[in-house]
Amino acid sequence: MTISPKPASRHPANALPKSRNLTEVAHRVTREMRQARNAHRGGVLWFTGLSGSGKSTLAMELERRLFERGYQVFVLDGDNLRTGLNRDLGFSAADRDENIRRVGEVAGLFAEAGMIVISAFISPYRDGRARAREAAGDFHEVWIQTPLEVCEERDPKGLYRKARAGEIRDFTGISAPYEPPEAPEVVVETAGRSVDDCAALLVEYVDATFKLPDVEP
């Protein structure tokens, strides 16, 4: 029997597990094999922006369009994951960091499996997004850039109204900070632009970035 060598860890060197009695097992299906099967690279499109900026709307529309074009694609949405994987977390700075750490790890696994992962999270802190980038590997930060006043005017979930009334603590943009990306791979300005226009811009980016040369997805 052949013993597979220990794979190179995709985890940051400083992110040591609590137990040292662990040995990572090498897959016999490589990332390159999965990419060849899918006709595109795996990777993470990390949507960040204020509540009401349009992250979830654009993520779901992009997922639909990419799926129709033959991409293996899946959305990890902030509210959806907080009802399951991250249901034990609140909205303190520490819990927000842990929320993003977990999602970065999950997104990295999806990407390693050859999929394009669209992560839609406020993810307000630069340090948190940097850790997600490190964990996920092929990471593309997409800033859904929408002014606070526009987000507050939209207020699709009524959260800004509650935050202004003091009913929600630690609400990003009102009583908690949002740190804008400093060097995102993509900036999508949604104010005054349709969902169709914004989604078309993102499809163009995915085609140029993830599709393998001379292969239709």
Side-chain angles (χ1 to χ4, degrees):
M1 184 174 79
T2 302
I3 304 297
S4 299
K6 180 180 177 181
S9 175
R10 66 180 182 83
H11 300 282
N14 60 351
L16 295 176
K18 291 184 178 180
S19 174
R20 298 191 178 184
N21 300 315
L22 303 172
T23 302
E24 292 191 57
V25 179
H27 289 269
R28 299 186 68 180
V29 179
T30 67
R31 188 166 188 159
E32 290 73 22
M33 292 164 66
R34 298 179 195 277
Q35 291 174 358
R37 172 74 61 86
N38 293 336
H40 63 79
R41 291 172 28 226
V44 178
L45 293 168
W46 190 280
F47 287 20
T48 178
L50 294 169
S51 178
S53 61
K55 297 182 302 300
S56 294
T57 299
L58 279 176
M60 296 304 179
E61 177 62 16
L62 180 61
E63 179 188 47
R64 182 187 69 80
R65 294 189 183 202
L66 293 180
F67 182 79
E68 290 178 350
R69 294 171 67 81
Y71 286 97
Q72 298 296 317
V73 58
F74 191 76
V75 170
L76 299 175
D77 180 75
D79 282 1
N80 291 357
L81 264 66
R82 278 187 176 275
T83 65
L85 177 67
N86 294 337
R87 67 192 302 174
D88 59 318
L89 299 177
F91 290 89
S92 67
D95 279 358
R96 285 175 181 271
D97 279 347
E98 175 60 13
N99 182 50
I100 297 309
R101 186 197 69 79
R102 292 182 192 179
V103 176
E105 293 288 343
V106 171
L109 291 173
F110 271 79
E112 194 170 345
M115 300 190 71
I116 293 175
V117 188
I118 306 168
S119 297
F121 291 79
I122 293 173
S123 44
Y125 302 119
R126 295 189 188 105
D127 284 350
R129 297 194 300 269
R131 285 193 290 273
R133 180 185 291 273
E134 196 170 11
D138 194 353
F139 183 99
H140 303 253
E141 190 173 39
V142 180
W143 183 16
I144 310 302
Q145 186 184 32
T146 309
L148 174 62
E149 57 271 21
V150 174
C151 295
E152 194 164 359
E153 182 179 338
R154 292 173 179 172
D155 202 10
K157 303 171 186 176
L159 299 179
Y160 283 99
R161 178 182 54 78
K162 292 181 179 179
R164 290 293 187 188
E167 298 174 27
I168 301 177
R169 297 176 57 192
D170 301 323
F171 190 79
T172 303
I174 303 298
S175 51
Y178 178 78
E179 298 175 354
E182 295 180 316
E185 279 74 15
V186 185
V187 177
V188 181
E189 298 178 358
T190 68
R193 300 179 67 180
S194 68
V195 172
D196 183 69
D197 286 346
C198 294
L201 181 154
L202 290 165
V203 169
E204 183 179 351
Y205 179 80
V206 170
D207 280 345
T209 306
F210 290 95
K211 187 167 66 173
L212 294 183
D214 303 320
V215 179
E216 287 296 326

